[in-house]
Amino acid sequence: MSSTLDRVHKQLKAHPLALDAILAAGVLACMVAGSFVAPHQNDAVSWSIRTPAPLSLVLMALGAAALVFRRRAPLTVLALTGTVSLVESVTGDPRAPVAMSAVIALFTVASRTDRPTTWRVGLLTMTVLTGAAMLAGPLPWYAQENLGIFAWTGIGATAGDAVRSRRAFVQAIRERAEKAERTREEEARRRVAEERLRIARDLHDVVAHHIALVNVQAGVAAHVMDKRPDQAKEALAHVREASRSALNELRATVGLLRQSGDPEAPTEPAPGLARLDELVGTFRNAGLRVEVARTDHGTALPAAVDLAAYRVIQEALTNVQKHAGTEAKAEVSVVRVGPNVEITVLDNGPGEEDHPEDGGGHGLLGMRERVTALRGTLTTGPRYGGGFRVHAILPVKTRTAARHQPGEPV
């Protein structure tokens, strides 16, 4: 039964003209029924049957017919129903309840317009209908029927204004909910874009580092293949190790793009300064002389800072390997200075001629974006007398880590 009623309600809501036609028929039935009853008040209230005048029946039919179009032209319908009510209040004796159509029309105007319009139109309707009934009607000015017109028109305007206010309140809540939903979606898209950019940086760093090592070792193997096959085998072993390491890191990084519900997908590629010796060893195996100096032992870095420090050193040494020549020497220092950790990578290569300048190349751009995202600073440029310098200052506590107590995971 309830499903049938819901289906009928949806169909009527989808066809407002049919709904208004049903309402108009109901109002007409009420007005006609009321026109056959005449109240009398002597010592007690009594009722009698009467016959309405033909003009009253015509006016009731006109007023009810106008209500069919109350949504399309509410002010026009109010004017028409107000006119027929005015005619009935002046000529009807006994009076028929034609004013009921005007009350419904006034309710519609109040519910579909603003409050100032409701006040103006409501006061005008109440004044005209009540004043005409008191001054020009066949009944005494103090008759209850005259006061009833004033009361019912006031109730119609007040009820319509209340419906309009509630509808506006519900609409405001709905708009706020939709705005909040759009904000959440935009924030989610922004976070996805940031995560994709971070993964792209990781992919660039991993590929550039390992491909540079593979290129160097492959060149060494090709150069000594005929005269020193043992050294060529050693170089090819380093190529194999570097390619395997590259595949592992690529698998871990690309694994972030899997579905979050996949239990086999890694949650975070987490190389950091704890793997610095391993990183430096790969460059030493490729023939690059690297010296490391660290005074940051015991410093716990947030995961983002630890990863950024590792990638800065990796990218800087990769650039040395590619641009500084076979006789280059690199120096790496990791120093804790107050609330920051400072990363410095120096080399004694040719400097300005062959090394990428500050701001050039995707490697330096990626380093700068990583450091800047953590509110750090990065300076790069040629050294006086030859070589190149990369210097990064990273805060030990990021905005995310600052919300956690010491010792808690970040």
Side-chain angles (χ1 to χ4, degrees), residues 39-308:
H40 298 282
Q41 185 173 1
N42 297 322
D43 295 336
V45 177
S46 60
W47 304 86
S48 62
I49 301 298
R50 68 179 183 183
T51 301
L55 179 60
S56 297
L57 294 175
V58 173
L59 295 176
M60 285 186 287
L62 291 176
L67 293 179
V68 177
F69 307 98
R70 67 187 185 95
R71 298 175 192 262
R72 295 186 178 182
L75 291 175
T76 303
V77 171
L78 176 61
L80 180 58
T81 55
T83 300
V84 297
S85 300
L86 180 63
V87 173
E88 174 64 20
S89 63
V90 173
T91 60
D93 187 19
R95 187 179 298 166
V98 181
M100 184 181 297
S101 59
V103 172
I104 301 298
L106 182 58
F107 169 86
T108 303
V109 171
S111 64
R112 304 180 69 85
T113 59
D114 53 9
R115 181 162 294 172
T117 302
T118 300
W119 277 96
R120 290 194 296 267
V121 174
L123 289 176
L124 178 63
T125 303
M126 288 187 293
T127 302
V128 171
L129 293 183
T130 306
M134 289 182 174
L135 298 177
L139 301 176
W141 68 269
Y142 51 85
Q144 293 183 356
E145 288 83 348
N146 298 336
L147 298 179
I149 294 176
F150 180 84
W152 281 108
T153 51
I155 291 174
T158 304
D161 184 71
V163 170
R164 180 198 56 78
S165 298
R166 182 182 180 279
R167 188 183 297 128
F169 177 73
V170 172
Q171 181 65 23
I173 293 178
R174 184 179 295 110
E175 290 177 355
R176 284 198 295 268
E178 292 175 354
K179 183 178 180 181
E181 183 66 23
R182 287 195 302 269
T183 303
R184 284 193 295 269
E185 292 176 356
E186 292 172 359
E187 179 66 15
R189 285 194 295 268
R190 184 186 66 82
R191 290 181 180 275
V192 168
E194 291 178 353
E195 183 66 12
R196 288 176 177 173
L197 179 59
R198 187 188 66 79
I199 294 174
R201 292 170 182 164
D202 284 340
L203 287 174
H204 169 270
D205 294 341
V206 170
V207 172
H209 163 60
H210 291 287
I211 292 301
L213 295 181
V214 168
N215 179 60
V216 171
Q217 295 291 352
V220 171
H223 182 69
V224 301
M225 179 67 72
D226 296 331
K227 298 180 180 180
R228 286 175 286 179
D230 293 339
Q231 187 176 353
K233 289 181 180 180
E234 183 181 354
L236 291 176
H238 289 311
V239 169
R240 182 178 181 183
E241 181 181 353
S243 61
R244 183 186 298 112
S245 178
L247 288 175
N248 290 336
E249 288 203 46
L250 285 173
R251 187 178 298 112
T253 304
V254 177
L256 292 173
L257 301 177
R258 296 179 182 175
Q259 296 295 330
S260 59
D262 188 355
E264 298 180 358
T267 57
E268 181 73 22
L273 293 180
R275 295 175 54 184
L276 181 58
D277 293 338
E278 178 185 344
L279 174 66
V280 171
T282 61
F283 286 100
R284 287 172 177 165
N285 292 335
L288 179 64
R289 293 176 296 165
V290 184
E291 295 182 0
V292 179
R294 297 185 64 175
T295 62
D296 66 319
H297 299 290
T299 301
L301 297 178
V305 176
D306 202 22
L307 176 61

